[in-house]
Amino acid sequence: MVLYIPNEASIGDQRGYRRGLQSLADQGFVEHVHVLSLLAAVRSGRGPKARALLDDVVLTAKPDVIWLQHIQGCGLTAAHFSRWRDAGVSCVVYQEMDPFAPVRNPLPDDAATAARHADLVLTSGAGTFVDNLRRTGAPRVEWIRQTCDIETFGAGDTDSWTPEFDVAVIANASRPRLPWRGHPGGRARRRFIEIASQEFGARLALYGNGWSGQSARGPVPFWEQGDALGTSWVSANWDHYPREPRYFSNRLAISLAAGGIHFTTHHPGYEDFLPVNAGFLHTADTPAELVAAIRTFLADVAPAERRALAGAGRHWARDNLDQATLPAEILERALGRSLAPSGSANTRSSFTEHTVESE
């Protein structure tokens, strides 16, 4: 039995994770799935009721595994974890995919508490991010890939695909109030946008807050990012935390799923997992090199070949970056064994969404 506490501002945002858990329950790999959107309740002013409901669900449902995501600001303390252990919870998983650095963006206290009390901690970088979480006392910290909901962002075939723009970028022009508190790579990102805007002009669709000029298209809602990226032959991005091994945000997954051809920052360890030599994913070490790589691709690769590469990128994303596949992998990692079906698929409801009533 699993209790899932998702990272979502609104109930239902974590579509892929829910779909994966629902599938596991329906097929009998998990006896029952309970979901409680604690963060959504806290942000709507119902934090105390939600935390009380959470304790009640643990005591009554007695889950074997509690899987939490990004609990910053949720009000959970060491006492909560102690009560859950006393109630018989045998495994706690904490998944923290946001990037944190010791000085510039330190790990929040509640995230450190969750990591310290978890049996398995998962993070999106394989270097500093892991070390940062280990310093909390977390006994086991591992890298896991960023994904996206393929059912939302995955695009279809590319046979008749004729984009309006050459390049699409989704990024905000954030500037820290204090120079040492900004995300690493922020200055290089602004430099990348500057060079790309000069190079591509109106052929660049630049989405996000804070940009101006002929390339700027304004912000795009999260769930519409796939449509925005699909308007261009290629997508591009300069990452924050460019030196973090294996790190990439869900923007890479969305870009491959929705567009298919993506240019981004090179990180150590990418070759271990990402198909950097497949033709649909390109990396560079500097903003100028990234823009040059895009320019060369657009000049040398004909539309028919671009469509074929985009189709291959979308197919690869569907096979490797589908969020719905992660619940099984995470549970197997946490439990140290393969999930086995109970013998028959569940014929009754095996998925419960717990909600806090409005005041």
Side-chain angles (χ1 to χ4, degrees):
M1 192 174 298
V2 177
L3 170 57
Y4 172 51
I5 305 171
N7 171 24
E8 57 186 12
S10 299
I11 294 176
D13 279 353
Q14 293 291 5
R15 302 172 183 179
Y17 286 118
R18 277 180 171 79
R19 185 160 37 253
L21 286 167
Q22 179 77 68
S23 177
L24 290 175
D26 289 346
Q27 296 177 71
F29 286 93
V30 174
E31 178 186 353
H32 199 104
V33 174
H34 296 267
V35 182
L36 197 158
S37 188
L38 178 61
L39 180 59
V42 168
R43 292 192 176 182
S44 64
R46 291 171 283 170
K49 281 190 173 184
R51 288 187 290 272
L53 176 60
L54 175 56
D55 278 343
D56 184 63
V57 170
V58 173
L59 290 171
T60 56
K62 299 188 181 302
D64 306 293
V65 179
I66 296 181
W67 170 17
L68 308 99
Q69 295 175 326
H70 188 67
I71 62 165
Q72 184 175 353
C74 287
L76 295 181
T77 66
H80 289 92
F81 291 91
S82 296
R83 287 197 295 273
W84 301 345
R85 294 293 190 182
D86 291 343
V89 174
S90 59
C91 182
V92 174
V93 179
Y94 182 52
Q95 184 182 6
E96 181 53 82
M97 305 302 280
D98 275 20
F100 292 100
V103 176
R104 290 192 171 192
N105 187 31
L107 192 70
D109 290 342
D110 38 11
T113 297
R116 190 178 306 116
H117 288 84
D119 300 280
L120 172 63
V121 179
L122 300 167
T123 186
S124 55
T128 302
F129 293 3
V130 170
D131 295 339
N132 199 25
L133 287 158
R134 282 178 177 159
R135 278 192 289 270
T136 69
R140 181 182 167 200
V141 185
E142 298 179 2
W143 172 84
I144 196 165
R145 64 194 176 281
Q146 285 272 20
T147 56
C148 70
D149 178 32
I150 293 294
E151 293 299 316
T152 297
F153 296 109
D157 66 69
T158 59
D159 293 345
S160 59
W161 182 46
T162 306
E164 179 182 358
F165 303 103
D166 281 347
V167 188
V169 177
I170 300 178
N172 292 322
S174 57
R175 292 179 180 271
R177 286 177 294 178
L178 300 174
W180 61 88
R181 292 303 298 269
H183 292 295
R187 183 178 300 175
R189 172 179 286 183
R190 293 190 292 274
R191 179 58 180 159
F192 165 68
I193 296 299
E194 177 185 353
I195 300 172
S197 298
Q198 293 171 353
E199 175 71 32
F200 302 111
R203 295 180 295 139
L204 168 65
L206 176 57
Y207 299 97
N209 292 306
W211 306 113
S212 60
Q214 62 178 328
S215 301
R217 300 290 184 274
V220 57
F222 178 78
W223 296 112
E224 298 175 18
Q225 288 188 19
D227 294 335
L229 293 167
T231 63
S232 300
W233 281 113
V234 307
S235 58
N237 182 50
W238 187 266
D239 279 339
H240 289 142
Y241 300 87
R243 297 179 182 177
E244 178 67 19
R246 291 193 177 191
Y247 171 67
F248 56 92
S249 72
N250 60 5
R251 186 69 44 72
L252 183 146
I254 295 171
S255 297
L256 288 178
I261 303 171
H262 188 57
F263 289 75
T264 189
T265 321
H266 178 265
H267 290 251
Y270 265 12
E271 296 78 7
D272 298 339
F273 175 72
L274 294 173
V276 292
N277 297 314
F280 53 79
L281 180 62
H282 304 258
T283 64
D285 293 317
T286 69
E289 290 174 359
L290 192 61
V291 171
I294 298 170
R295 181 198 314 122
T296 300
F297 178 90
L298 293 171
D300 294 350
V301 181
E305 186 177 354
R306 295 179 196 174
R307 292 188 182 97
L309 289 171
R314 294 175 185 185
H315 182 78
W316 189 88
R318 184 173 291 275
D319 286 348
N320 296 275
L321 300 176
D322 185 1
Q323 194 178 80
T325 66
L326 280 192
E329 178 182 332
I330 289 172
L331 291 175
E332 288 183 344
R333 283 207 213 179
L335 298 171
R337 58 175 173 80
S338 298
L339 297 178
S342 59
S344 61
N346 285 322
T347 57
R348 58 184 176 82
S349 175
S350 54
F351 193 98
T352 303
E353 186 94 42
H354 299 272
T355 58
V356 182
E357 296 298 326
S358 300
E359 297 292 345

